[in-house]
Amino acid sequence: MRDGSRRQEWRPPAVEVGDVEESFAHEASRLHREDRPMPALRHALARPLRAITWGGVVLGMLLAAGLAAMLANDYQRRLEAAQRQSRALAIGSERLLALELRNLERAMAGIAADAAELFRTVPAQAPALLDAAIAGVLRRHAELHSIVVLDTYGRALTAGKGDLQLPLWTDPQRRGQGSALYIGPPQRASDGGWVVPLALPMAGDRWLLARLRCGELQRIVGGLDVGPSGLASISDADGYMLARVPDPHGTVGRRYTLPARTLLGRQAVVELGSIPGAVDQIPRISTISTLERSPLAVQVGLANEDVLKPWWPYLQAAIAIMLAYVALLLVLLYAVRRSTHRQQSMAEELRTGHAELRLAHQVGRVCTWYVDEDAALLRWSPLAREIFGVQTDALPVAEFFARVHHDDSARMQQAFDQAFAGNAVLDEEFRLVLPGGAVRWVAARGQRVAVVDRQRRMIGALTDLSERYQAREQMRQVERRFRLLFDRNPAPFWVFDPDTLRFIEVNEAAVQQYGYSRDEFLAMSILDIRPREGWDEVKGAIAQVRSGELQDAAVRLHQRKDGTVFEVRVHLSQLDFDGQPACLVLAEDVSERLAYERDLAYQARHNPATGLLNVRALSEQLDEQAGAYTIAYVQLRGLQLVADTLGREIGDAVLQSMASRLGGLGARFGLLAFQPAEDFVLAIAPEHNTQRVLDDLLQIVSAPMRGQDSLHQFEPRIGVAVHDADAGHSAEQAIGMAAQAAHAARAEGNVVAWFDAAVTIRLADRLRLAGRIHAAIDNEFQLYFQPIRHASDGSPASLEALLRWPQADGSFIPPSEFIQLCEDTGLILALGRWVIRAAAQAQRRLVEAGWGELSIAVNVSAVQFFNSDLVAEFARAQQDFGLARGALHVELTESSLMRKPAQAMQTMQRLHEQGIRVSLDDFGTGYSSMSYLQHLPLDVLKIDRSFVADVETNPRNASICRALLSLGHSMGLTIIAEGVETPGQLDWLAAHGCDQVQGYLLGRPALPEVARIPYTPVSTR
């Protein structure tokens, strides 16, 4: 004031502030005491609602259980009735089918008997007579499409179409118990309909084949009452559908995975229950009935939909009852709940004030405190016990400050004194040490106020900040670890803004990898390190991450500062970076690894020597195309021999030159593959002229191939197979068929051979024969012996051992069929050892019988001669059986000796050292060099039978024989003439000085027990 009077300091009304503080404490205490009975009140109000609810639920469950039991019982009865009906229909149809097949079998048996008699009595007229008889049978039996008499290979002997697949399906699994009738897979008839082949074996390895129209089987099951969606079908053991009613999908003739296939061939009835149909997947209650005399099954199924159609109205009615009950219960509960809710809302209003206040303090970890004017005690609200772990409501001020952390004690004491003096407002954060030693961060706010009777009091609030400080410290630790992991990670890392695509942070590895500095990175966007064609991919990946979709680590192209492009595997994730959404990227350089993997994948699919596809990769690629194509399998014999004889470098050059020629052909007309070491496979696309391509292929492989200093001519064999995707064969099978045709071409001396069923049969017979040879060596083979006599007087000179393979039916497998097969499979070595020992054993018996002067000649294969220790085998046999020197001879052909003359000469010399004579068989039929023959240590020359034939009447043969006799005698060799069958031949040979003779005139080959070698002089007039 101007008059100098003392100004008064403004203070809040003391009485008003005190009243508010005391009123606050009183109300808080009262609400705390009244908080306990509120839940009990709510429970009491809710008790009627719970009783009604549980009672209604229990009653509803009882009602639902009763309805469910009724429905389930009715449902089960309907299914059982349907199962009984399907069983009865299946058994009835099975009996009709069995009767039909039994009648057909009897009719066929009669025809077969007549046919057998005709073939036995009048074989030439039998086909014509049978055609007339069969025509009459077909007129009487409209259900039969045709009847044909076949040979063992399925070829027709009477009018009609044969079946080359007959040997494949006439196995015991396609014949029932007690029946001789074989049932084959369905076939498409000439009129377009389906037929079932029925085969009956006949005498003389013949078959009677009748084709039953599938329409007849349709008639058997066509009249069954199976409902709108039911079915009745007849199928065979392989799952082929022979008849089906109804058949909107045209399933007859198709093969399906049908149940109970193992039961076929015996009498059985199996109730399958409800199963989905193999064709239309419609659930049906099915029964299968199988025939004992035929591998067929009748299946009858009643659709679940048809069976349960009357049951659904009951189900709907039960559901309607339950829905009505639930609606009534809900209405009742709603009315009771409204009444209860009104009562609870009034009680809730009384509790709200106290709950909100308490909740606010609990959530904020806040408690109130005050200190009176005497500054003796610090008093706080009950929540402080929970926050600070103390058990009292008051604490001396001095003790409180003693619990303040020593680093914060002085600062806190000074701030408190200033605020208590009224000079400032207390607003500090400090650490409080609890009795157990734990430290809490606390924020204290307070101010001095006036209370009753003008007393001073300082009031305020304490807030527990420990969790906030802990979270802040954890954030600092996480940030430090992230920074350490981010900066020192050897893989490039960066963080970018998904909205602007600009870099926010990069690590040192990214700087080193991409060539940009950190500042340059932060001024760029992620599109700057991607080629332009990858920008849309980046935006799509970011959109997927934002939508929450998981991202697989994708391989993408990135670009360095110098413009080079490399492959990286990108790992992308979303994160919160400094409070803003961002994306974290790890870019792993995988260029070298992917290049290595691509190289491995290329090597797995290509031949390294030629760069062409291998056969497996070609098969996979053709299967993926799933189209028709023609396979040409090319065998080039002699290609590997170039490398073996002239060196790997020249061999690779010739192989690559041939691959280059054929590669151009494959590029123009399809695909080409190489099968080490001498085979190529060409797949010809369907749009090209196959014959023209084959002509070009043959011209290429037949042309001489130039090496470094020479030309090489190869011997090609080409097998051709046509593959159609609808045939059900894989590409691998098609290539195998072409390879079989190539083998057949080589065996038959052809250049090109097309695959057919006969090739498979021949090769299968050849493989089966090879499988039998191994077991037959010790048990089935026999040695027959043919005598060799002196031409002058007919006295025995020696025996020739001839190998025979008798069969159980008294026939013999010719040596021409199994000797070459043994050479191809390597079994000739084991067979040759057996022959040597068997011949030695026979010689031992000759010695014991007094014929020790007769030696035995053993024919030796070229494979055995050059690929086994022949000398050791003969020496061991002579030693084991105690034979004298000269007891065994060796017979060789001149063509085999000329393969390796040097090795042949060495082996023959060693045979001589063991006292084993060597004969040159079939002399004069080869192209031997006289220069080699004069140095070979031979003992005997055998003139081939082709020159001996008609020698007494044919001047040309006589001239050849005189020349051979003169040549052999000039070399000091014994001459044996083979194939002597007439006395004239014998007289001529004796007259011209032939030493020994052999042939049917002088004795046929026989077993040792049958053969006798008597001394029988022969006239040589």
Side-chain angles (χ1 to χ4, degrees):
M1 298 183 181
R2 291 183 179 181
D3 58 1
S5 61
R6 183 170 57 88
R7 293 181 299 173
Q8 295 183 354
E9 182 181 2
W10 183 87
R11 296 170 180 265
V15 174
E16 182 178 347
V17 173
D19 293 341
V20 172
E21 193 277 332
E22 290 178 0
S23 174
F24 167 78
H26 176 72
E27 184 66 16
S29 177
R30 183 182 66 81
L31 287 177
H32 179 71
R33 291 191 303 270
E34 293 179 355
D35 188 43
R36 293 181 178 177
M38 298 303 293
L41 178 61
R42 287 197 302 270
H43 288 308
L45 295 175
R47 191 175 296 114
L49 180 62
R50 287 198 302 271
I52 295 174
T53 301
W54 284 108
V57 168
V58 172
L59 182 59
M61 291 176 63
L62 293 175
L63 179 61
L67 292 175
M70 293 173 58
L71 291 172
N73 184 46
D74 185 62
Y75 182 90
Q76 187 63 33
R77 286 190 296 102
R78 293 179 186 275
L79 292 182
E80 292 174 354
Q83 187 68 74
R84 290 192 297 272
Q85 183 180 354
S86 70
R87 178 186 178 95
L89 293 176
I91 293 175
S93 300
E94 176 264 322
R95 292 175 178 173
L96 290 177
L97 177 60
L99 180 61
E100 179 72 19
L101 292 177
R102 190 175 304 163
N103 292 336
L104 286 176
E105 183 176 358
R106 292 173 179 173
M108 290 177 65
I111 296 174
D114 296 341
E117 180 64 21
L118 289 175
F119 274 107
R120 187 182 65 82
T121 57
V122 287
Q125 302 174 4
L129 296 174
L130 284 175
D131 288 341
I134 290 173
V137 174
L138 292 178
R139 284 193 300 269
R140 293 191 301 273
H141 295 274
E143 70 273 11
L144 293 178
H145 176 269
S146 63
I147 301 176
V148 187
V149 178
L150 308 179
D151 63 9
T152 185
Y153 296 108
R155 294 172 296 195
L157 301 178
T158 60
K161 182 181 179 182
D163 187 354
L164 297 181
Q165 300 296 323
L166 177 70
L168 301 180
W169 57 263
T170 51
D171 60 81
Q173 293 183 353
R174 291 190 167 274
R175 184 180 64 184
Q177 298 180 11
S179 172
L181 193 64
Y182 293 83
I183 301 179
Q187 301 174 352
R188 180 73 75 173
S190 58
D191 57 2
W194 286 95
V195 296
V196 180
L198 308 175
L200 189 68
M202 298 172 51
D205 291 336
R206 286 184 288 268
W207 293 84
L208 181 65
L209 178 67
R211 292 182 172 94
L212 175 64
R213 300 181 187 274
C214 290
E216 177 65 16
L217 303 180
Q218 292 280 104
R219 184 187 63 80
I220 292 177
V221 297
L224 301 181
D225 182 13
V226 294
S229 300
L231 71 84
S233 66
I234 299 175
S235 56
D236 66 5
D238 291 334
Y240 285 103
M241 195 69 70
L242 306 182
R244 187 178 188 274
V245 177
D247 191 20
H249 305 284
T251 60
V252 175
R254 298 184 182 179
R255 189 176 182 179
Y256 298 92
T257 302
L258 302 177
R261 295 296 95 187
T262 57
L263 299 175
L264 271 67
R266 61 177 184 268
Q267 195 73 32
V269 180
V270 180
E271 297 178 355
L272 301 177
S274 179
I275 60 172
V279 178
D280 50 17
Q281 301 301 312
I282 295 178
R284 296 181 178 90
I285 301 170
S286 303
T287 298
I288 282 186
S289 180
T290 59
L291 287 72
E292 180 180 6
R293 294 178 57 85
S294 302
L296 298 179
V298 177
Q299 179 176 348
V300 176
L302 305 180
N304 293 14
E305 179 183 359
D306 299 339
V307 174
L308 298 178
K309 187 174 181 180
W311 179 79
W312 289 108
Y314 292 104
L315 177 63
Q316 295 170 357
I319 294 174
I321 293 173
M322 286 303 303
L323 292 177
Y325 175 81
V326 170
L328 291 175
L329 179 61
L330 291 177
V331 170
L332 177 62
L333 292 176
Y334 176 74
V336 175
R337 183 177 179 82
R338 285 192 59 188
S339 175
T340 304
H341 183 70
R342 285 196 297 269
Q343 298 177 17
Q344 289 180 346
S345 61
M346 291 185 292
E348 191 68 22
E349 291 177 359
L350 298 176
R351 194 183 61 85
T352 300
H354 173 70
E356 290 179 353
L357 179 61
R358 183 176 181 85
L359 181 62
H361 281 190
Q362 288 178 343
V363 172
R365 307 286 287 176
V366 177
C367 65
T368 57
W369 59 271
Y370 66 93
V371 177
D372 288 332
E373 187 175 10
D374 57 5
L377 290 175
L378 176 66
R379 303 178 184 273
W380 47 44
S381 60
L383 190 59
R385 300 181 182 180
E386 179 182 344
I387 296 176
F388 301 114
V390 295
Q391 302 300 322
T392 61
D393 294 334
L395 192 68
V397 175
E399 185 177 347
F400 174 79
F401 279 104
R403 297 191 178 187
V404 176
H405 196 277
H406 60 84
D407 292 339
D408 304 328
S409 179
R411 175 175 55 82
M412 186 61 188
Q413 184 68 58
Q414 181 181 0
F416 179 81
D417 292 341
Q418 292 179 356
F420 196 78
N423 298 328
V425 175
L426 178 64
D427 189 2
E428 294 289 338
E429 293 181 1
F430 61 96
R431 285 165 288 182
L432 189 65
V433 181
L434 301 184
V439 178
R440 293 287 185 91
W441 277 95
V442 179
R445 294 183 60 86
Q447 186 178 7
R448 193 187 69 175
V449 297
V451 292
V452 184
D453 298 332
R454 303 184 65 82
Q455 291 183 0
R456 293 181 299 174
R457 174 176 290 180
M458 189 172 181
I459 64 174
L462 291 175
T463 305
D464 186 2
L465 303 179
S466 300
E467 294 181 357
R468 188 185 308 173
Y469 271 85
Q470 291 174 359
R472 190 182 304 169
E473 181 62 24
Q474 290 176 356
M475 287 295 294
R476 282 197 296 267
Q477 292 291 335
V478 170
E479 182 178 359
R480 185 182 65 82
R481 294 171 183 170
F482 172 77
R483 177 58 59 185
L484 184 64
L485 177 64
F486 188 83
D487 287 339
R488 298 187 181 181
N489 197 299
F493 265 100
W494 61 76
V495 180
F496 70 92
D497 189 332
D499 296 324
T500 65
L501 304 183
R502 299 186 68 84
F503 288 97
I504 300 175
E505 188 60 79
V506 295
N507 68 346
E508 185 61 25
V511 172
Q512 297 295 330
Q513 178 69 266
Y514 290 83
Y516 296 100
S517 66
R518 184 175 181 277
D519 294 335
E520 287 176 328
F521 260 119
L522 298 182
M524 296 161 50
S525 74
I526 60 174
L527 299 180
D528 295 329
I529 63 171
R530 293 293 304 276
R532 183 171 295 275
E533 56 270 17
W535 288 7
D536 293 338
E537 183 185 8
V538 172
K539 296 175 182 178
I542 295 173
Q544 289 181 350
V545 171
R546 283 181 167 177
S547 65
E549 296 183 19
L550 294 177
Q551 288 292 307
D552 293 332
V555 176
R556 299 186 174 93
L557 292 178
H558 280 195
Q559 186 172 344
R560 298 187 179 94
K561 184 178 181 180
D562 60 5
T564 58
V565 177
F566 63 104
E567 292 176 297
V568 297
R569 187 178 300 278
V570 176
H571 305 265
L572 177 65
S573 62
Q574 195 173 15
L575 78 162
D576 186 12
F577 192 82
D578 287 342
Q580 67 178 13
C583 289
L584 175 67
V585 174
L586 181 148
E588 177 188 3
D589 185 0
V590 293
S591 301
E592 294 184 1
R593 187 178 71 189
L594 292 181
Y596 178 70
E597 291 176 355
R598 283 192 288 268
D599 183 60
L600 286 180
Y602 178 84
Q603 293 180 12
R605 293 178 58 84
H606 293 77
N607 177 261
T610 62
L612 299 176
L613 290 171
N614 56 38
V615 174
R616 180 177 181 182
L618 175 64
S619 301
E620 294 174 354
Q621 193 163 341
L622 292 176
D623 286 335
E624 291 174 359
Q625 295 175 1
Y629 44 82
T630 302
I631 299 295
Y633 195 97
V634 183
Q635 295 180 346
L636 293 178
R637 292 300 176 259
L639 190 61
Q640 180 63 30
L641 183 61
V642 175
D644 295 339
T645 56
L646 302 181
R648 180 60 57 188
E649 182 177 354
I650 297 177
D652 289 345
V654 173
L655 174 61
Q656 291 170 5
S657 179
M658 179 62 75
S660 178
R661 288 186 183 182
L662 294 177
L665 196 68
R668 294 197 308 273
F669 301 113
L671 296 172
L672 181 68
F674 178 66
Q675 176 71 35
E678 298 179 322
D679 299 340
F680 291 86
V681 182
L682 175 63
I684 304 172
E687 62 268 16
H688 299 293
N689 188 315
T690 302
Q691 188 57 49
R692 181 176 299 175
V693 176
L694 291 176
D695 293 341
D696 294 344
L697 173 62
L698 183 59
Q699 183 178 0
I700 288 175
V701 298
S702 299
M705 184 65 58
R706 179 172 296 277
Q708 291 182 350
D709 300 315
S710 60
L711 287 175
H712 303 279
Q713 183 79 34
F714 303 112
E715 180 186 0
R717 291 295 184 268
I718 302 175
V720 185
V722 178
H723 178 268
D724 190 349
D726 297 333
H729 299 303
S730 65
E732 183 178 0
Q733 292 172 318
I735 294 173
M737 291 188 291
Q740 293 178 25
H743 287 295
R746 183 165 300 279
E748 297 169 0
N750 299 324
V751 178
V752 179
W754 288 74
F755 175 84
D756 59 16
V759 172
T760 301
I761 294 174
R762 288 197 301 271
L763 292 177
D765 292 342
R766 183 178 174 88
L767 291 176
R768 283 194 291 269
L769 187 62
R772 291 181 54 197
I773 290 174
H774 184 75
I777 289 176
D778 295 328
N779 301 316
E780 298 181 20
F781 283 106
Q782 295 178 351
L783 276 187
Y784 278 50
F785 297 91
Q786 186 176 23
I788 300 174
R789 299 180 182 272
H790 292 286
S792 59
D793 58 3
S795 61
S798 62
L799 300 176
E800 181 180 359
L802 300 174
L803 186 62
R804 295 292 183 265
W805 190 359
Q807 302 301 299
D809 58 359
S811 62
F812 290 84
I813 297 178
S816 59
E817 293 188 10
F818 64 81
I819 291 298
Q820 183 61 44
L821 180 59
C822 288
E823 292 183 347
D824 294 341
T825 58
L827 291 173
I828 193 65
L829 301 179
L831 183 58
R833 284 192 296 269
W834 181 87
V835 170
I836 293 172
R837 296 191 65 82
Q841 185 179 18
Q843 174 63 22
R844 179 73 261 169
R845 294 177 181 174
L846 287 175
V847 172
E848 294 172 354
W851 292 89
E853 70 279 4
L854 291 181
S855 60
I856 295 180
V858 179
N859 289 279
V860 175
S861 165
V863 176
Q864 182 184 7
F865 185 78
F866 290 109
N867 295 278
S868 68
D869 192 352
L870 186 66
V871 179
E873 291 177 0
F874 271 95
R876 188 180 305 111
Q878 291 187 140
Q879 181 180 0
D880 291 346
F881 291 96
L883 304 182
R885 292 171 62 87
L888 297 178
H889 291 184
V890 171
E891 285 197 8
L892 302 168
T893 60
E894 59 176 313
S895 58
S896 65
L897 290 179
M898 291 302 102
R899 294 184 183 180
K900 300 177 183 179
Q903 183 180 347
M905 186 178 301
Q906 181 181 5
T907 303
M908 293 166 66
Q909 186 63 41
R910 293 176 57 202
L911 288 171
H912 267 274
E913 294 173 359
Q914 295 292 330
I916 299 173
R917 301 178 67 193
V918 179
S919 300
L920 189 59
D921 199 6
D922 300 337
F923 182 67
T925 60
Y927 302 93
S928 306
S929 170
M930 294 297 105
S931 62
Y932 279 115
L933 287 176
Q934 67 179 348
H935 294 95
L936 291 175
L938 295 172
D939 299 289
V940 179
L941 288 182
K942 300 187 73 172
I943 301 176
D944 187 69
R945 65 181 61 248
S946 60
F947 303 129
V948 176
D950 301 329
V951 67
E952 76 278 17
T953 60
N954 189 331
R956 184 180 182 87
N957 283 0
S959 298
I960 294 175
C961 286
R962 280 195 296 268
L964 294 177
L965 288 169
S966 177
L967 175 63
H969 287 153
S970 67
M971 297 173 64
L973 304 177
T974 300
I975 308 300
I976 301 176
E978 294 184 298
V980 178
E981 297 181 355
T982 65
Q985 296 171 358
L986 177 61
D987 292 342
W988 189 97
L989 291 169
H992 287 81
C994 182
D995 299 309
Q996 298 174 12
V997 289
Q998 177 183 2
Y1000 285 174
L1001 177 65
L1002 307 167
R1004 291 178 175 269
L1007 291 170
E1009 294 78 7
V1010 179
R1012 294 293 183 266
I1013 317 297
Y1015 174 73
T1016 306
V1018 181
S1019 174
T1020 58
R1021 65 180 185 278

